[in-house]
Amino acid sequence: MDLASRLFKGDRVIWIIFMFLCLISVTEVFSATSTIAYRNANYWMPIIRHASFLLMGFAGVLILHNLPYKVFIGFGLFLPVAIFLLAITPFVGVEINGETAEYAFDLNEFLGIRFQPSELAKLSAVCYMALVLSKRDKFTDAQMFKYILIGVGLACGFIFFNNGSTAVLLFTIMVMMMFIGQIHLKRIFKL
């Protein structure tokens, strides 16, 4: 078995589309940043920066794609941490472009990045729902519905105050996952 078929498991069409979209993004970024590039001495800096982000993202996709799926169960356990961070974020928001952004932490002192707890909440909420739905043999339908509603509902509620569209999208994903996870339609329609 050669290296390419070991690294790129799954549907080759999806991989081709992914790579094609990455290449298109290079052209789009070059076009969108042309005025910035002409102001700077280095014309290639925006394209090099974007290409480095693409390479890091591509490496991340390869790593995540080749991990066993049981590793992702751990992400669902971060939901209480994410909810706590969402609850305290409005009190410790940072200023971005002259406006207070009450949805971001500034971790420049530690890591040199800005961090949005809603991103952690989205990932952990989906993994938490998958974890609860995978325990169908241990929980009843009503218990699964209650656990999902409490955990993901809290996350959606805190996200809604700062970014309503993100909360609606997360709620829609929650409903779709419950439908796919075979939660009774009566409960979903009551929701």
Side-chain angles (χ1 to χ4, degrees), residues 25-35 37-38 43-44 46-47 50:
S25 75
V26 172
T27 307
E28 295 294 326
V29 166
F30 188 69
S31 172
T33 61
S34 60
T35 57
Y38 287 125
Y43 298 120
W44 292 100
I47 218 61
H50 181 70

Side-chain angles (χ1 to χ4, degrees), residues 138-157:
K138 295 182 180 163
F139 299 128
T140 65
D141 201 48
Q143 288 174 324
M144 287 191 303
F145 184 75
K146 182 177 75 171
Y147 294 149
I148 289 172
L149 202 58
I150 289 170
V152 182
L154 275 172
C156 284

Side-chain angles (χ1 to χ4, degrees), residues 44-108:
W44 292 100
M45 193 59 193
I47 218 61
I48 291 171
R49 183 171 184 250
H50 181 70
S52 65
F53 286 147
L54 278 177
L55 286 174
M56 286 187 296
F58 192 77
V61 166
L62 281 177
I63 290 168
L64 289 175
H65 180 70
N66 287 300
L67 285 177
Y69 71 92
K70 297 212 181 232
V71 170
F72 296 104
I73 291 173
F75 289 126
L77 303 176
F78 282 112
L79 188 61
V81 174
I83 290 172
F84 173 74
L85 290 175
L86 285 170
I88 67 168
T89 301
F91 305 110
V92 293
V94 297
E95 190 171 300
I96 300 173
N97 295 333
E99 296 181 18
T100 302
E102 296 178 342
Y103 56 86
F105 283 128
D106 197 3
L107 299 177
N108 280 332

Side-chain angles (χ1 to χ4, degrees), residues 167-182:
V168 169
L169 283 171
L170 183 58
F171 181 79
T172 305
I173 290 169
M174 177 181 74
V175 171
M176 289 188 325
M177 285 183 71
M178 284 193 294
F179 176 74
I180 292 169
Q182 299 175 349

